[in-house]
Amino acid sequence: MRRVYLLLPVFLFALVSHSCKQTTTRNRIDENHFPRVILWAWERPEDLEFLDPQRFGVAFLAQTLTLKDGEVVYSPRHQPLKLHPGAKLIAVTRIESQKITREHVDLTDDLRKQLVEHIRKTLQLNNVSAVQVDFDAATSERTFYRQLLQDLRRELPDNVALSMTALASFCVGDRWLKDLPVDEAVPMVFRMGIDSDRIRNLLTGGDFSEALCRRSYGVALDEPVRTSFDKQRRVYVFNARSWTPADISLLEERFGH
């Protein structure tokens, strides 16, 4: 999961206490009865037939969309993915733009329409009942991203959940996520670079200031994090290698799931 991390400013104290009320807006992830633990299955061979579908859901990389030369370059998942037939699935779309490619991209309406269409098509994959967008949008891309999510929400069936990943900096003292038409923003509390210790300390006894970021969070199997989050909060788990039954045992040991 390639990421570029922003330096978190000194106003990290904007993390509010865990006693803050959860947002009351709709959450289709819950409505669709997704398990509390979701495994990310990235671009590598994965055999997850051994998972108990009552305990674990799967968010798998379905495609990567690269913005280049005024077009969307489509790259589908190339690696095999084996799943229990009853698994609850989230189709993840990774978007890469100038932050990754280092090339200027004109963020046109046509480009946005192409992205919406590609993401919408992931619903045609078997057992998919939610989509997730993984886009580390630069500040200059946020208006475009907001419009993309608004357009996408209108195109999706009403019962399909729309999720997005979020850099930790998106959820701390940064209000651009407010009122986005998503069911959750999943803050990445791993691979956070030089601000890792600071934000981890603040999350011990605290919480994110943005309400959309208080429904779920993302961790890495090889990078345990301590938080005071409610045990019912949904957790997404990233693994740097293909998942094995032994990894599930490690997950339960480290995160108590």
Side-chain angles (χ1 to χ4, degrees):
M1 187 176 286
R2 296 189 291 273
R3 299 188 175 280
V4 178
Y5 293 93
L6 304 179
L7 295 180
L8 299 181
V10 294
F11 54 69
L12 279 172
F13 65 82
L15 282 170
V16 296
S17 74
H18 184 55
S19 62
C20 287
K21 292 183 179 179
Q22 295 281 347
T23 180
T24 57
T25 56
R26 189 173 179 184
N27 187 343
R28 296 171 183 83
I29 300 288
D30 286 341
E31 290 177 14
N32 282 288
H33 305 292
F34 270 87
R36 188 164 52 92
V37 182
I38 309 290
L39 306 186
W40 270 309
W42 221 238
E43 184 65 284
R44 59 181 64 90
E46 293 284 8
D47 184 350
L48 298 172
E49 289 183 306
F50 65 87
L51 285 180
D52 180 352
Q54 300 302 314
R55 298 181 60 212
F56 301 99
V58 178
F60 67 97
L61 181 68
Q63 61 184 351
T64 299
L65 304 177
T66 303
L67 309 185
K68 187 174 183 180
D69 299 327
E71 296 182 350
V72 175
V73 180
Y74 164 66
S75 178
R77 182 184 184 90
H78 296 292
Q79 301 297 334
L81 176 64
K82 296 182 180 181
L83 297 160
H84 188 286
K88 298 283 286 186
L89 303 181
I90 301 173
V92 183
T93 294
R94 170 68 179 170
I95 298 176
E96 297 189 345
S97 63
Q98 57 193 30
K99 185 183 282 190
I100 300 297
T101 64
R102 303 298 183 184
E103 295 184 12
H104 175 74
V105 179
D106 290 326
L107 302 176
T108 64
D109 291 345
D110 181 65
L111 202 65
R112 192 173 70 250
K113 291 177 182 177
Q114 291 181 54
L115 289 171
V116 169
E117 181 63 15
H118 278 294
I119 297 170
R120 188 182 63 80
K121 285 183 177 179
T122 63
L123 284 178
Q124 299 172 9
L125 301 172
N126 292 336
N127 291 349
V128 170
S129 55
V131 297
Q132 186 176 80
V133 182
D134 181 37
F135 182 19
D136 303 336
T139 302
S140 61
E141 298 169 325
R142 290 179 180 178
T143 298
F144 175 83
Y145 193 15
R146 174 176 286 271
Q147 293 172 338
L148 169 65
L149 292 169
Q150 291 170 342
D151 291 350
L152 182 58
R153 180 65 270 171
R154 284 192 292 268
E155 290 293 325
L156 294 174
D158 183 66
N159 64 333
V160 171
L162 174 56
S163 171
M164 66 178 289
T165 62
L167 300 181
S169 58
F170 290 178
C171 300
V172 181
D174 190 336
R175 302 298 294 168
W176 84 274
L177 295 182
K178 183 176 175 58
D179 299 327
L180 281 177
V182 297
D183 295 279
E184 63 176 5
V186 185
M188 306 289 96
V189 291
F190 65 98
R191 311 291 197 268
M192 292 183 292
I194 62 174
D195 285 297
S196 178
D197 290 343
R198 186 184 304 178
I199 197 167
R200 287 172 188 274
N201 289 338
L202 287 168
L203 287 177
T204 302
D207 207 338
F208 293 106
S209 56
E210 172 52 54
L212 281 173
C213 298
R214 299 199 296 267
R215 294 181 165 186
S216 58
Y217 63 107
V219 299
L221 185 66
D222 61 351
E223 195 176 317
V225 60
R226 294 180 180 177
T227 72
S228 59
F229 296 157
D230 188 306
K231 292 297 184 180
Q232 297 307 308
R233 187 173 300 196
R234 186 164 285 102
V235 58
Y236 289 76
V237 187
F238 175 73
N239 195 351
R241 62 184 186 183
S242 297
W243 287 97
T244 67
D247 291 329
I248 302 303
S249 297
L250 182 59
L251 185 156
E252 293 171 331
E253 176 186 340
R254 290 187 174 180
F255 302 111
H257 296 298

